[in-house]
Amino acid sequence: MDKMLPYLQSDSTYKVHIHTFNKTLTQAQKIKKIDALEFLPFKGKVNLKNPEHIFWILEDYGMDPNNVPEEPFHLYFGRWIADGQRELIESYSVKKRHFIGNTSMDACLSFIMANHGRVKPNDVVYDPFVGTGGLLISSAHFGAYVCGTDIDYNTIHGLGKASRKNQKWRGPDENIRANLRQYGLEKYYLDALVSDSSRPIWRKGMLFDAIITDPPYGIREATRRTGSQKETVKTAERSTENHIFVSSSYHLSDIFFDLLKFAAEYLVMGGRLVYWLPIYRPEYTEEIVPRHPCLKLISNCEQMLSSHTSRRLITMEKVKEFKDQDQNSCLLDGQYTPYRGHNSFREKYFSGVTKRIAREEKDNHK
């Protein structure tokens, strides 16, 4: 209370804001909560237009939109000091972006991932499932040099059908470089290559300060890798530029195993891996989060997708140099077995919901 006294003096002006997480309050409810602060020794005058001091009430109602409590789990009260950079969410909105795809990452989440990766000027940031490059943009905004790979030839080259409504085909200048150019960030763009993440193309060594990515879950984008005619379970596909490739299914368990192994080998010491892990909530335990002896788990945050599925933002940091014996360490210590549960995520994603709900969620989520 003593720390608040300088801001409660009679010669000052103030106002109080209320913000809730996972619940909407009516104006009457907000006023009632503000009136409940009468026990605080406010001596100044209320000024709603230009106050000297702004106080905030923040109420946290959890993360489950299907089970919102009457009272908040946590309540915070404090004085506003400064705004963050939330204006970036609007200025980098996917709706205004030149080149987008079915699974382009929301601007807010892209910046959260860049923050988790501790991206800073002159870093080199890599996305092995780059898609339309949404995650590269947020890293480039913070001054990092960015690059990526993707197995989809059409996406890398900006070819094929457009994702926007009322637009059949992509335009001649719809590509990742055009996105960086749109925001004045082209100087940070290294390149994007057509490549299979299960078969790294890079020379040996620690190359990247951060690896920030969103692997495909098999919902809106297929999980696939290159394979021989004997291995493939799909027929050869032909792109609009007569580019022919053969692909086989790429299980989620293998995607995450390869991703962690790649990060352990190619991240610099102290570099970070940030990625999304889709999970079926009724079966989730901490044990199914992929691990690697060279990587330390820093954070594990959940974003709800539906009542029974979510995805977790996993942040890991490289704490040990990669050695030859670490090549298949996850296989040797038995940790690989639980990951196979991710292979049926697509089926579990649609389980227990009607066809109508499934269609709606398919439009909104991966």
Side-chain angles (χ1 to χ4, degrees), residues 239-262:
S239 80
T240 56
E241 290 293 311
N242 294 325
H243 175 78
I244 301 173
F245 62 90
V246 176
S247 64
S248 60
S249 59
Y250 194 10
H251 291 306
L252 280 176
S253 54
D254 296 328
I255 289 177
F256 296 122
F257 173 74
D258 290 341
L259 178 61
L260 266 66
K261 184 171 66 174
F262 180 88

mmCIF file of all heavy atoms in Angstrom, residues 239-262:
data_model
loop_
_atom_site.group_PDB
_atom_site.id
_atom_site.type_symbol
_atom_site.label_atom_id
_atom_site.label_comp_id
_atom_site.label_asym_id
_atom_site.label_seq_id
_atom_site.Cartn_x
_atom_site.Cartn_y
_atom_site.Cartn_z
ATOM 1 N N SER A 239 3.166 -30.846 -59.977
ATOM 2 C CA SER A 239 2.816 -29.462 -59.679
ATOM 3 C C SER A 239 2.482 -28.727 -60.959
ATOM 4 O O SER A 239 2.603 -29.252 -62.062
ATOM 5 C CB SER A 239 4.000 -28.768 -58.991
ATOM 6 O OG SER A 239 4.955 -28.377 -59.953
ATOM 7 N N THR A 240 2.110 -27.447 -60.798
ATOM 8 C CA THR A 240 1.743 -26.641 -61.962
ATOM 9 C C THR A 240 2.943 -26.341 -62.834
ATOM 10 O O THR A 240 2.800 -25.904 -63.961
ATOM 11 C CB THR A 240 1.114 -25.323 -61.499
ATOM 12 O OG1 THR A 240 2.043 -24.657 -60.628
ATOM 13 C CG2 THR A 240 -0.195 -25.573 -60.772
ATOM 14 N N GLU A 241 4.149 -26.556 -62.313
ATOM 15 C CA GLU A 241 5.360 -26.307 -63.104
ATOM 16 C C GLU A 241 6.029 -27.625 -63.537
ATOM 17 O O GLU A 241 7.228 -27.672 -63.784
ATOM 18 C CB GLU A 241 6.340 -25.463 -62.278
ATOM 19 C CG GLU A 241 5.870 -24.033 -62.064
ATOM 20 C CD GLU A 241 5.850 -23.239 -63.355
ATOM 21 O OE1 GLU A 241 6.846 -23.261 -64.080
ATOM 22 O OE2 GLU A 241 4.803 -22.636 -63.644
ATOM 23 N N ASN A 242 5.248 -28.685 -63.583
ATOM 24 C CA ASN A 242 5.739 -29.999 -63.999
ATOM 25 C C ASN A 242 6.853 -30.516 -63.082
ATOM 26 O O ASN A 242 7.716 -31.274 -63.510
ATOM 27 C CB ASN A 242 6.259 -29.948 -65.450
ATOM 28 C CG ASN A 242 5.149 -29.669 -66.434
ATOM 29 O OD1 ASN A 242 4.025 -30.121 -66.242
ATOM 30 N ND2 ASN A 242 5.449 -28.897 -67.458
ATOM 31 N N HIS A 243 6.827 -30.070 -61.840
ATOM 32 C CA HIS A 243 7.793 -30.589 -60.881
ATOM 33 C C HIS A 243 7.215 -31.859 -60.274
ATOM 34 O O HIS A 243 6.157 -31.832 -59.665
ATOM 35 C CB HIS A 243 8.064 -29.556 -59.784
ATOM 36 C CG HIS A 243 8.971 -30.078 -58.708
ATOM 37 N ND1 HIS A 243 10.328 -30.175 -58.868
ATOM 38 C CD2 HIS A 243 8.693 -30.550 -57.464
ATOM 39 C CE1 HIS A 243 10.860 -30.666 -57.773
ATOM 40 N NE2 HIS A 243 9.884 -30.909 -56.903
ATOM 41 N N ILE A 244 7.907 -32.966 -60.437
ATOM 42 C CA ILE A 244 7.398 -34.262 -59.987
ATOM 43 C C ILE A 244 8.171 -34.716 -58.757
ATOM 44 O O ILE A 244 9.379 -34.639 -58.701
ATOM 45 C CB ILE A 244 7.531 -35.321 -61.108
ATOM 46 C CG1 ILE A 244 6.759 -34.870 -62.353
ATOM 47 C CG2 ILE A 244 7.036 -36.663 -60.626
ATOM 48 C CD1 ILE A 244 6.970 -35.763 -63.544
ATOM 49 N N PHE A 245 7.459 -35.161 -57.750
ATOM 50 C CA PHE A 245 8.103 -35.723 -56.588
ATOM 51 C C PHE A 245 7.260 -36.872 -56.062
ATOM 52 O O PHE A 245 6.066 -36.962 -56.336
ATOM 53 C CB PHE A 245 8.313 -34.665 -55.492
ATOM 54 C CG PHE A 245 7.045 -34.083 -54.969
ATOM 55 C CD1 PHE A 245 6.396 -34.653 -53.897
ATOM 56 C CD2 PHE A 245 6.495 -32.946 -55.568
ATOM 57 C CE1 PHE A 245 5.228 -34.110 -53.399
ATOM 58 C CE2 PHE A 245 5.319 -32.400 -55.074
ATOM 59 C CZ PHE A 245 4.698 -32.991 -53.999
ATOM 60 N N VAL A 246 7.894 -37.754 -55.333
ATOM 61 C CA VAL A 246 7.206 -38.879 -54.709
ATOM 62 C C VAL A 246 7.280 -38.666 -53.207
ATOM 63 O O VAL A 246 8.346 -38.379 -52.668
ATOM 64 C CB VAL A 246 7.861 -40.212 -55.097
ATOM 65 C CG1 VAL A 246 7.180 -41.363 -54.364
ATOM 66 C CG2 VAL A 246 7.788 -40.409 -56.602
ATOM 67 N N SER A 247 6.152 -38.767 -52.525
ATOM 68 C CA SER A 247 6.150 -38.537 -51.088
ATOM 69 C C SER A 247 5.470 -39.691 -50.374
ATOM 70 O O SER A 247 4.602 -40.359 -50.924
ATOM 71 C CB SER A 247 5.447 -37.223 -50.741
ATOM 72 O OG SER A 247 4.091 -37.280 -51.106
ATOM 73 N N SER A 248 5.893 -39.907 -49.144
ATOM 74 C CA SER A 248 5.291 -40.931 -48.302
ATOM 75 C C SER A 248 4.805 -40.268 -47.021
ATOM 76 O O SER A 248 5.150 -39.124 -46.722
ATOM 77 C CB SER A 248 6.315 -42.021 -47.974
ATOM 78 O OG SER A 248 7.416 -41.471 -47.285
ATOM 79 N N SER A 249 4.004 -40.975 -46.252
ATOM 80 C CA SER A 249 3.481 -40.407 -45.019
ATOM 81 C C SER A 249 4.625 -40.165 -44.031
ATOM 82 O O SER A 249 5.621 -40.890 -44.014
ATOM 83 C CB SER A 249 2.447 -41.353 -44.398
ATOM 84 O OG SER A 249 3.039 -42.608 -44.120
ATOM 85 N N TYR A 250 4.473 -39.147 -43.217
ATOM 86 C CA TYR A 250 5.489 -38.741 -42.254
ATOM 87 C C TYR A 250 4.801 -38.652 -40.901
ATOM 88 O O TYR A 250 4.137 -37.685 -40.595
ATOM 89 C CB TYR A 250 6.049 -37.392 -42.689
ATOM 90 C CG TYR A 250 7.335 -36.954 -42.015
ATOM 91 C CD1 TYR A 250 8.085 -37.807 -41.205
ATOM 92 C CD2 TYR A 250 7.808 -35.659 -42.198
ATOM 93 C CE1 TYR A 250 9.258 -37.386 -40.619
ATOM 94 C CE2 TYR A 250 8.989 -35.217 -41.619
ATOM 95 C CZ TYR A 250 9.702 -36.084 -40.825
ATOM 96 O OH TYR A 250 10.876 -35.653 -40.236
ATOM 97 N N HIS A 251 4.942 -39.690 -40.086
ATOM 98 C CA HIS A 251 4.238 -39.749 -38.814
ATOM 99 C C HIS A 251 4.666 -38.599 -37.909
ATOM 100 O O HIS A 251 5.828 -38.187 -37.897
ATOM 101 C CB HIS A 251 4.500 -41.081 -38.116
ATOM 102 C CG HIS A 251 3.870 -42.254 -38.795
ATOM 103 N ND1 HIS A 251 2.535 -42.290 -39.090
ATOM 104 C CD2 HIS A 251 4.394 -43.430 -39.241
ATOM 105 C CE1 HIS A 251 2.247 -43.443 -39.698
ATOM 106 N NE2 HIS A 251 3.361 -44.135 -39.805
ATOM 107 N N LEU A 252 3.715 -38.101 -37.121
ATOM 108 C CA LEU A 252 4.034 -37.020 -36.204
ATOM 109 C C LEU A 252 5.164 -37.399 -35.248
ATOM 110 O O LEU A 252 6.011 -36.575 -34.911
ATOM 111 C CB LEU A 252 2.790 -36.632 -35.399
ATOM 112 C CG LEU A 252 1.782 -35.718 -36.098
ATOM 113 C CD1 LEU A 252 0.561 -35.514 -35.216
ATOM 114 C CD2 LEU A 252 2.401 -34.377 -36.443
ATOM 115 N N SER A 253 5.176 -38.641 -34.806
ATOM 116 C CA SER A 253 6.243 -39.077 -33.896
ATOM 117 C C SER A 253 7.602 -38.924 -34.560
ATOM 118 O O SER A 253 8.577 -38.497 -33.928
ATOM 119 C CB SER A 253 6.022 -40.531 -33.473
ATOM 120 O OG SER A 253 5.892 -41.372 -34.601
ATOM 121 N N ASP A 254 7.687 -39.247 -35.863
ATOM 122 C CA ASP A 254 8.952 -39.102 -36.588
ATOM 123 C C ASP A 254 9.292 -37.631 -36.817
ATOM 124 O O ASP A 254 10.464 -37.242 -36.784
ATOM 125 C CB ASP A 254 8.874 -39.829 -37.934
ATOM 126 C CG ASP A 254 8.710 -41.326 -37.773
ATOM 127 O OD1 ASP A 254 9.233 -41.864 -36.776
ATOM 128 O OD2 ASP A 254 8.055 -41.961 -38.619
ATOM 129 N N ILE A 255 8.268 -36.796 -37.064
ATOM 130 C CA ILE A 255 8.500 -35.362 -37.261
ATOM 131 C C ILE A 255 9.179 -34.765 -36.029
ATOM 132 O O ILE A 255 10.192 -34.059 -36.130
ATOM 133 C CB ILE A 255 7.174 -34.626 -37.547
ATOM 134 C CG1 ILE A 255 6.651 -34.989 -38.950
ATOM 135 C CG2 ILE A 255 7.363 -33.117 -37.436
ATOM 136 C CD1 ILE A 255 5.309 -34.361 -39.275
ATOM 137 N N PHE A 256 8.637 -35.061 -34.851
ATOM 138 C CA PHE A 256 9.185 -34.461 -33.636
ATOM 139 C C PHE A 256 10.533 -35.067 -33.268
ATOM 140 O O PHE A 256 11.416 -34.363 -32.765
ATOM 141 C CB PHE A 256 8.189 -34.603 -32.485
ATOM 142 C CG PHE A 256 6.908 -33.859 -32.729
ATOM 143 C CD1 PHE A 256 5.687 -34.501 -32.732
ATOM 144 C CD2 PHE A 256 6.935 -32.501 -32.989
ATOM 145 C CE1 PHE A 256 4.517 -33.817 -32.979
ATOM 146 C CE2 PHE A 256 5.762 -31.802 -33.231
ATOM 147 C CZ PHE A 256 4.554 -32.460 -33.236
ATOM 148 N N PHE A 257 10.713 -36.348 -33.524
ATOM 149 C CA PHE A 257 12.009 -36.979 -33.276
ATOM 150 C C PHE A 257 13.073 -36.329 -34.151
ATOM 151 O O PHE A 257 14.160 -35.956 -33.679
ATOM 152 C CB PHE A 257 11.924 -38.481 -33.548
ATOM 153 C CG PHE A 257 13.254 -39.177 -33.482
ATOM 154 C CD1 PHE A 257 13.854 -39.414 -32.252
ATOM 155 C CD2 PHE A 257 13.905 -39.588 -34.629
ATOM 156 C CE1 PHE A 257 15.084 -40.057 -32.182
ATOM 157 C CE2 PHE A 257 15.125 -40.232 -34.566
ATOM 158 C CZ PHE A 257 15.728 -40.461 -33.333
ATOM 159 N N ASP A 258 12.771 -36.167 -35.449
ATOM 160 C CA ASP A 258 13.730 -35.547 -36.367
ATOM 161 C C ASP A 258 13.979 -34.081 -36.017
ATOM 162 O O ASP A 258 15.099 -33.586 -36.129
ATOM 163 C CB ASP A 258 13.220 -35.648 -37.809
ATOM 164 C CG ASP A 258 13.239 -37.071 -38.345
ATOM 165 O OD1 ASP A 258 13.958 -37.910 -37.765
ATOM 166 O OD2 ASP A 258 12.528 -37.339 -39.340
ATOM 167 N N LEU A 259 12.913 -33.375 -35.597
ATOM 168 C CA LEU A 259 13.041 -31.955 -35.272
ATOM 169 C C LEU A 259 13.972 -31.750 -34.077
ATOM 170 O O LEU A 259 14.858 -30.880 -34.103
ATOM 171 C CB LEU A 259 11.663 -31.358 -34.971
ATOM 172 C CG LEU A 259 11.626 -29.881 -34.574
ATOM 173 C CD1 LEU A 259 12.180 -29.002 -35.688
ATOM 174 C CD2 LEU A 259 10.194 -29.464 -34.222
ATOM 175 N N LEU A 260 13.782 -32.530 -33.019
ATOM 176 C CA LEU A 260 14.638 -32.382 -31.845
ATOM 177 C C LEU A 260 16.080 -32.777 -32.142
ATOM 178 O O LEU A 260 17.025 -32.140 -31.668
ATOM 179 C CB LEU A 260 14.091 -33.217 -30.682
ATOM 180 C CG LEU A 260 13.180 -32.452 -29.711
ATOM 181 C CD1 LEU A 260 11.888 -32.009 -30.400
ATOM 182 C CD2 LEU A 260 12.868 -33.278 -28.473
ATOM 183 N N LYS A 261 16.250 -33.829 -32.935
ATOM 184 C CA LYS A 261 17.598 -34.247 -33.301
ATOM 185 C C LYS A 261 18.293 -33.170 -34.130
ATOM 186 O O LYS A 261 19.476 -32.872 -33.922
ATOM 187 C CB LYS A 261 17.537 -35.572 -34.081
ATOM 188 C CG LYS A 261 18.908 -36.146 -34.415
ATOM 189 C CD LYS A 261 18.788 -37.552 -34.982
ATOM 190 C CE LYS A 261 18.096 -37.552 -36.334
ATOM 191 N NZ LYS A 261 18.103 -38.890 -36.970
ATOM 192 N N PHE A 262 17.545 -32.561 -35.049
ATOM 193 C CA PHE A 262 18.106 -31.492 -35.878
ATOM 194 C C PHE A 262 18.492 -30.294 -35.006
ATOM 195 O O PHE A 262 19.570 -29.714 -35.161
ATOM 196 C CB PHE A 262 17.090 -31.069 -36.938
ATOM 197 C CG PHE A 262 17.572 -29.974 -37.841
ATOM 198 C CD1 PHE A 262 18.273 -30.270 -39.000
ATOM 199 C CD2 PHE A 262 17.335 -28.634 -37.531
ATOM 200 C CE1 PHE A 262 18.740 -29.261 -39.835
ATOM 201 C CE2 PHE A 262 17.790 -27.628 -38.361
ATOM 202 C CZ PHE A 262 18.498 -27.936 -39.510
#
